[in-house]
Amino acid sequence: MIRSELIQKIADDNPHLYQRDVERIVNTIFEEITNAMARGDRVELRGFGAFSVKKRDARVGRNPRTGESVQVEEKHVPFFKTGKLLRDRLNGK
Amino acid sequence: MSDKTLTRMDLSEAVFQEVGLSRNESSELVESVLQMMSDALVAGEQVKISSFGTFSVREKAARIGRNPKTGEEVPIQPRRVLTFRPSHLMKEQVAAGNKR
């Protein structure tokens, strides 16, 4: 399923809404999650999962082509942990 | 970093502000989006949201695990796990926003 299919399904279930409003709704949800993580916040959606930010320490990396050492700066990466309900549903529980 | 935790309520509030539906309907729509994504994943489908990321279901084979406390061997059944791969855009925004 891709973004446009998700939008279409929501639009089909809600015939009273304009398609462009459904697009805005779906886009707002994903933007809100990304913006929260960009601020360093967590987003906890019970039953579905939680989005959080993890810190990766600075390290000395290596250019795999030349073998040369390079300093890699500390950085923050997005992380998702599946919620219990969804994890159980995936396994038929 | 502000270290806050957002919930469904914050997402519905954002939808409410953006589209001007009732609060009730906004929260129902947030719920349907999560429900539809979950249903697709449970059906074994990949959910690919451009500029956000991709959720995929992976099959894990059975293996012998170990209780770390007792050292006892316990069988782990084959199972399906969900992985999320953030898009480049999300990675960039999260890295830039949390940079000191």
Side-chain angles (χ1 to χ4, degrees):
Chain A
M1 179 162 81
I2 60 174
R3 186 195 285 258
S4 57
E5 289 165 340
L6 178 60
I7 290 168
Q8 193 54 55
K9 280 182 193 239
I10 302 283
D12 292 346
D13 280 2
N14 296 276
H16 62 292
L17 296 179
Y18 290 115
Q19 172 100 13
R20 63 157 201 276
D21 282 343
V22 177
E23 269 172 45
R24 283 167 65 200
I25 290 160
V26 171
N27 295 344
T28 299
I29 294 172
F30 293 117
E31 278 164 22
E32 202 61 22
I33 297 173
T34 306
N35 292 343
M37 284 192 284
R39 293 191 301 267
D41 292 344
R42 274 168 57 83
V43 182
E44 196 175 306
L45 305 167
R46 284 282 161 91
F48 183 78
F51 295 89
S52 59
V53 180
K54 290 207 166 182
K55 185 179 144 209
R56 297 274 177 257
D57 285 330
R59 62 188 170 88
V60 180
R62 224 168 252 286
N63 179 330
R65 194 168 297 166
T66 62
E68 199 182 348
S69 294
V70 273
Q71 188 58 44
V72 181
E73 276 180 48
E74 164 192 306
K75 69 171 174 189
H76 290 83
V77 297
F79 180 76
F80 176 76
K81 184 169 189 283
T82 313
K84 187 168 174 354
L85 185 71
L86 182 51
R87 201 166 52 217
D88 287 348
R89 277 191 70 200
L90 286 169
N91 291 290
K93 279 187 231 164
Chain B
M1 278 211 217
S2 51
D3 283 329
K4 256 180 53 185
T5 298
L6 277 72
T7 63
R8 281 173 167 74
M9 252 174 40
D10 300 282
L11 298 186
S12 356
E13 184 63 24
V15 168
F16 168 78
Q17 300 279 347
E18 173 73 21
V19 191
L21 302 167
S22 71
R23 280 206 161 78
N24 213 346
E25 192 168 15
S26 304
S27 82
E28 278 167 18
L29 284 159
V30 169
E31 207 49 54
S32 332
V33 167
L34 296 176
Q35 195 61 51
M36 280 180 182
M37 291 171 69
S38 304
D39 290 349
L41 292 164
V42 169
E45 265 186 73
Q46 199 180 53
V47 175
K48 208 169 180 166
I49 309 295
S50 54
S51 75
F52 184 80
T54 304
F55 297 88
S56 8
V57 180
R58 286 177 45 198
E59 307 277 342
K60 296 275 221 176
R63 63 184 172 90
I64 306 288
R66 209 176 266 281
N67 180 327
K69 205 169 284 175
T70 63
E72 199 184 345
E73 285 189 351
V74 272
I76 297 178
Q77 299 304 314
R79 63 209 161 99
R80 293 202 298 169
V81 296
L82 176 58
T83 58
F84 174 67
R85 195 165 176 264
S87 71
H88 271 286
L89 186 70
M90 181 192 279
K91 283 198 216 167
E92 274 170 26
Q93 289 181 351
V94 170
N98 290 283
K99 202 163 189 168
R100 293 188 286 191

